[in-house]
Amino acid sequence: MPVQVGGSKVAESRARVELSPTAVADKGCASSKKIRRRRQKASAAPSRSPMQRLFDTSREVFSASSPGFVPPPDAVARLSGILNDLKPHDVGVDSSMPYFKHADSKVPPQVTYLHFYDCPKFSFGIFCLPKSAIIPLHNHPGMTVFSKILFGSMHLKSYDWANSPPENHDIALENSDGARLAKVNTDAVFDASSETVVLYPENGGNLHCFTALTPCAVLDVLGPPYNRADGRDCAYYDESPYLIGGDEQYSWLKEVPTTFEMKGIQMPRKFSVSA
């Protein structure tokens, strides 16, 4: 969902040089001192913050990002591993923050997006949902998206466009009013113990919606980002179940206008990353 926020090589001498025992000892001491200095420098070097590691890994994974890009399996596993290890305090969020409160029962809970970074290749940030907040069913055109719940629990329902009719059903994949047939990919509850969910341009649940069962925070890394000028705008959908029996589930999804809006907030400088 878019949110408004070198040197020359020196030849070695062929002459044989005899070193005295003292010179050898001095040379050994000098080498030991160099090793110690290197170790001291290495230990003194600041370690990367979890968010910096996330940024560096995301930049590598999405270095070739373009519409329809799918990272190789080892890259997906590497970035998912980084996300799986993240804790709320690593990114500066906790459930006591006002973004997770909902004081006015007369209006729907507002979703807040905490923005960390974006570029033409990828972006990442955190969706903050108070209890009962909903991010409506929407798509991710040409994108690969990594989602990790940092705390709380939510219901996730996702679809992929159907490539063929259900078995023994002779129907078109698009009906007269413009609705398209989609197959359910995921319909389950996730929480902070759940591993990173990854969706792809053509599968993995590219269309999804979130419903917060408790206050919850979800970190998303996606690439390439939404870009209306490039034809990657966010579309929203209504769903009408198509009953076929058995375990498989299908629905007709029709693109609809939406009034859904999120509040975008730039994260504090202490949680920024170095590009």
Side-chain angles (χ1 to χ4, degrees), residues 99 101-112 128-136 259-262:
Y99 316 130
K101 308 297 182 183
H102 181 226
D104 189 353
S105 60
K106 297 179 182 179
V107 297
Q110 184 178 44
V111 178
T112 302
C128 306
L129 292 82
K131 182 180 179 180
S132 302
I134 297 173
I135 299 180
T259 58
F260 174 71
E261 292 183 353
M262 290 182 292

Side-chain angles (χ1 to χ4, degrees), residues 76-99:
V76 171
R78 190 152 45 93
L79 183 50
S80 295
I82 296 287
L83 288 164
N84 289 338
D85 290 340
L86 279 181
K87 301 293 184 273
H89 65 264
D90 294 328
V91 298
V93 296
D94 65 71
S95 58
S96 68
M97 300 171 81
Y99 316 130

Side-chain angles (χ1 to χ4, degrees), residues 15-201:
R16 182 179 180 184
V17 179
E18 297 290 344
L19 295 179
S20 67
T22 303
V24 171
D26 290 343
K27 184 178 180 181
C29 290
S31 298
S32 298
K33 290 178 180 179
K34 287 181 180 179
I35 293 172
R36 285 197 298 271
R37 283 197 295 268
R38 288 172 185 160
R39 289 175 178 172
Q40 289 169 355
K41 287 182 179 180
S43 61
S47 60
R48 291 184 300 168
S49 69
M51 288 303 287
Q52 186 66 50
R53 289 198 298 273
L54 173 61
F55 169 77
D56 292 341
T57 305
S58 298
R59 181 168 58 179
E60 294 169 4
V61 169
F62 286 103
S63 61
S65 177
S66 62
F69 170 74
V70 176
D74 62 326
V76 171
R78 190 152 45 93
L79 183 50
S80 295
I82 296 287
L83 288 164
N84 289 338
D85 290 340
L86 279 181
K87 301 293 184 273
H89 65 264
D90 294 328
V91 298
V93 296
D94 65 71
S95 58
S96 68
M97 300 171 81
Y99 316 130
F100 303 101
K101 308 297 182 183
H102 181 226
D104 189 353
S105 60
K106 297 179 182 179
V107 297
Q110 184 178 44
V111 178
T112 302
Y113 180 75
L114 306 181
H115 170 73
F116 283 93
Y117 179 83
D118 69 79
C119 71
K121 296 292 188 180
F122 72 97
S123 66
F124 64 86
I126 297 174
F127 295 98
C128 306
L129 292 82
K131 182 180 179 180
S132 302
I134 297 173
I135 299 180
L137 184 64
H138 61 281
N139 68 344
H140 306 82
M143 303 177 188
T144 295
V145 182
F146 295 71
S147 298
K148 179 65 178 77
I149 299 181
L150 300 173
F151 66 77
S153 64
M154 64 164 47
H155 179 261
L156 167 64
K157 189 171 187 179
S158 68
Y159 291 91
D160 291 310
W161 296 119
N163 294 319
S164 59
E167 189 176 355
N168 299 322
H169 286 248
D170 185 18
I171 59 168
L173 298 181
E174 184 172 345
N175 63 26
S176 58
D177 68 355
R180 292 178 60 186
L181 191 65
K183 184 178 180 179
V184 174
N185 177 276
T186 302
D187 189 359
V189 173
F190 291 78
D191 59 23
S193 68
S194 305
E195 294 194 344
T196 299
V197 175
V198 187
L199 63 85
Y200 302 96

Side-chain angles (χ1 to χ4, degrees), residues 137 161 175 177-180 236-240 252-257:
L137 184 64
W161 296 119
N175 63 26
D177 68 355
R180 292 178 60 186
Y236 293 85
Y237 300 86
D238 273 346
E239 56 184 318
S240 300
W252 293 108
L253 304 186
K254 183 178 181 180
E255 185 175 343
V256 294

